[in-house]
Amino acid sequence: MRVLLIGANGYLGGFVAERLLADPAVQLTALGRGDDADVRFDLATGSPGALTRFLDAVHPGVVVNCAGATRGGARELTRHNTVAVATVCEALRRSGCGARLVQLGCGAEYGPSQPGSSTAEDAVPRPGGPYGVSKLAATELVLGSGLDAVVLRVFSPAGPGTPAGSPLGRLAEAMRRAMQSGDGELKLGGLGVQRDFVDVRDVARAVHAASLSAAQGVINIGSGRAVRLRDAAAVLARVAGYGGALHELDSPPNPLRSTIGHPRPDSDHAAPVSYPYPDGCGSWQQADVRTARDRLGWRPRINLEESLADIWMEAACRI
């Protein structure tokens, strides 16, 4: 099976590439903007015609799109998350390869949900920010393209390689600094949000399964369980061996200051400008993952403690 992977040098794409390469039946070609890609191509600026010519030459049976942007302004997010997907869809329609498309979407497309509820694929999407809007627009393009396509809506990925700017990445970095400086307390804020964390290796397994299946439409990929960020912080402290006290700031998040790893009053370091969760999903998100089980035969295997241990191992290497 010939697979064209777009975005192999990204956080999710790297693990997807690793999973696909482990399948001896897969012939993998990586397309992306980086020098390490087999073919260099920028979806945000490249033409559908150029991509069509490449598809006709490689003739893949499956195209997996892991490319996209998670940060930036509305214009940048639209260019990398929506216009890029429009290019992929148009190129596949023009091409004679007849490839199946596996598109990685995200839980942010749904927007805020009722605490205690599980969000199924038939929920009406109401994204709460430009990132979710740009990803939802991409999903609608895929679903309306007439292609053999499936969109995997990935909730909150975690595990090795977690970006340092993500909430769990910032949490690990704050703990690393506290341990390095010998601080006996760590002040944290914004820990009341609850998210559905799914290990990035389980996400890669889901992509592999979707590539081999005939499933179409939207499929949620998550753990099926919301976890409060303060509970994740406690687990991280345990696996890190941090014996200090964790003090949660009870003031509401301030958009001008970081709420994870908030500096102590006598700190010389200014807090970075960021929200603990810039996904526009409010205080609660939990996936209904029954469709993934029924249509892909997929279930998450790696628990959050193992994911956090891997995140900490990478952070500890910087001590």
Side-chain angles (χ1 to χ4, degrees):
M1 180 175 65
R2 290 177 180 163
V3 178
L4 174 64
L5 175 59
I6 304 172
N9 60 337
Y11 172 41
L12 296 178
F15 285 93
V16 170
E18 185 177 303
R19 177 73 187 188
L20 293 174
L21 286 170
D23 184 346
V26 171
Q27 293 180 327
L28 186 67
T29 301
L31 181 148
R33 292 180 291 170
D35 293 333
D36 54 347
D38 296 321
V39 177
R40 293 191 65 179
F41 189 88
D42 188 344
L43 289 177
T45 58
S47 70
L51 184 57
T52 299
R53 290 190 291 273
F54 176 72
L55 291 171
D56 288 338
V58 175
H59 213 78
V62 177
V63 173
V64 177
N65 184 24
C66 297
T70 58
R71 298 181 182 276
R75 177 178 295 181
E76 183 179 5
L77 292 169
T78 300
R79 186 169 69 250
H80 290 289
N81 294 338
T82 308
V83 174
V85 172
T87 298
V88 173
C89 290
E90 180 60 25
L92 282 169
R93 278 195 296 264
R94 296 183 188 180
S95 173
C97 68
R100 171 174 172 77
L101 174 61
V102 179
Q103 165 72 17
L104 264 65
C106 69
E109 296 175 40
Y110 290 116
S113 56
Q114 185 69 27
S117 66
S118 292
T119 303
E121 290 84 356
D122 60 357
V124 177
R126 294 185 177 89
Y131 171 63
V133 170
S134 68
K135 293 294 288 187
L136 176 60
T139 291
E140 295 299 337
L141 285 170
V142 171
L143 298 180
S145 66
L147 300 168
D148 174 13
V150 62
V151 177
L152 302 182
R153 275 189 178 144
V154 179
F155 278 62
S156 298
T162 293
S166 71
L168 291 181
R170 292 203 304 273
L171 185 60
E173 177 62 14
M175 197 163 293
R176 181 194 71 81
R177 289 181 179 178
M179 294 179 70
Q180 189 174 33
S181 61
D183 283 347
E185 63 175 7
L186 181 58
K187 292 186 176 182
L188 304 166
L191 300 185
V193 296
Q194 298 182 68
R195 287 294 182 271
D196 187 326
F197 296 106
V198 57
D199 193 273
V200 65
R201 292 158 292 193
D202 281 334
V203 174
R205 287 179 42 247
V207 172
H208 188 203
S211 300
L212 300 173
S213 79
Q216 296 185 341
V218 174
I219 300 178
N220 290 340
I221 302 299
S223 69
R225 182 173 69 95
V227 175
R228 199 178 302 272
L229 199 55
R230 73 166 64 98
D231 296 330
V235 172
L236 187 64
R238 185 172 72 250
V239 300
Y242 178 66
L246 298 178
H247 294 297
E248 183 175 358
L249 300 174
D250 54 8
S251 57
N254 184 331
L256 299 179
R257 307 193 68 178
S258 170
T259 57
I260 291 181
H262 193 290
R264 300 175 63 180
D266 56 350
S267 173
D268 293 331
H269 301 286
V273 179
S274 58
Y275 272 114
Y277 262 97
D279 57 7
C281 293
S283 63
W284 170 276
Q285 198 172 53
Q286 178 175 283
D288 182 330
V289 294
R290 289 176 294 180
T291 301
R293 178 196 63 198
D294 296 340
R295 299 175 65 188
L296 300 180
W298 175 91
R299 296 174 187 267
R301 294 178 181 172
I302 300 174
N303 61 39
L304 182 57
E305 183 166 352
E306 183 175 345
S307 301
L308 289 170
D310 289 329
I311 291 173
W312 174 250
M313 185 177 296
E314 293 181 347
C317 290
R318 297 193 291 271
I319 293 180

